[in-house]
Amino acid sequence: MTSLATLIYYPRSIGLLTNGIFAGLGVTLNCVGVPAIKASSDPLPSFIKTYNNGSKLAMTNIFIGTAANAVCYYNTKRTKYLYAAVLTFFSFPFTLLFIAPVNNELFALEKSGENYDRNKVSSLM
């Protein structure tokens, strides 16, 4: 028979790791990435490159972290794992509702070519 601690060891560790990576990504983007992008003479290409690299890592961490915490909740029925799963997943719809519209405006400006409004880009960041 497998003990409960052994049964949730890996999903709990994975959940903690992915949540930590996601938090670190957010702090790094807010404290390092965005100020550097804003300081750039042409911020839109910097934003696009940062977004393309960071979004893959963020989405992967959201879904793996949610699944790992859900497995822990399933095995233990402890509400702390349910809260962790829900709060980890909540980043996804929050991004779709509030962040994606701004990002879509920035992507549309990028498609307009070299003569986009740099003031509008700065205001969106």
Side-chain angles (χ1 to χ4, degrees), residues 39-89:
S40 172
S41 61
D42 194 6
L44 192 54
S46 300
F47 165 78
I48 299 297
K49 183 68 172 170
T50 302
Y51 175 85
N52 288 335
N53 291 338
S55 64
K56 294 176 187 84
L57 181 62
M59 287 296 134
T60 302
N61 280 295
I62 288 170
F63 292 123
I64 291 173
T66 298
N69 286 308
V71 167
C72 288
Y73 173 71
Y74 177 79
N75 287 323
T76 65
K77 302 300 186 239
R78 293 183 186 160
T79 56
K80 68 181 180 180
Y81 296 117
L82 177 63
Y83 294 146
V86 169
L87 291 173
T88 302
F89 181 76

Side-chain angles (χ1 to χ4, degrees), residues 24-40 46 50:
L25 175 68
V27 169
T28 301
L29 285 176
N30 286 325
C31 295
V32 178
V34 172
I37 291 169
K38 285 183 170 185
S40 172
S46 300
T50 302

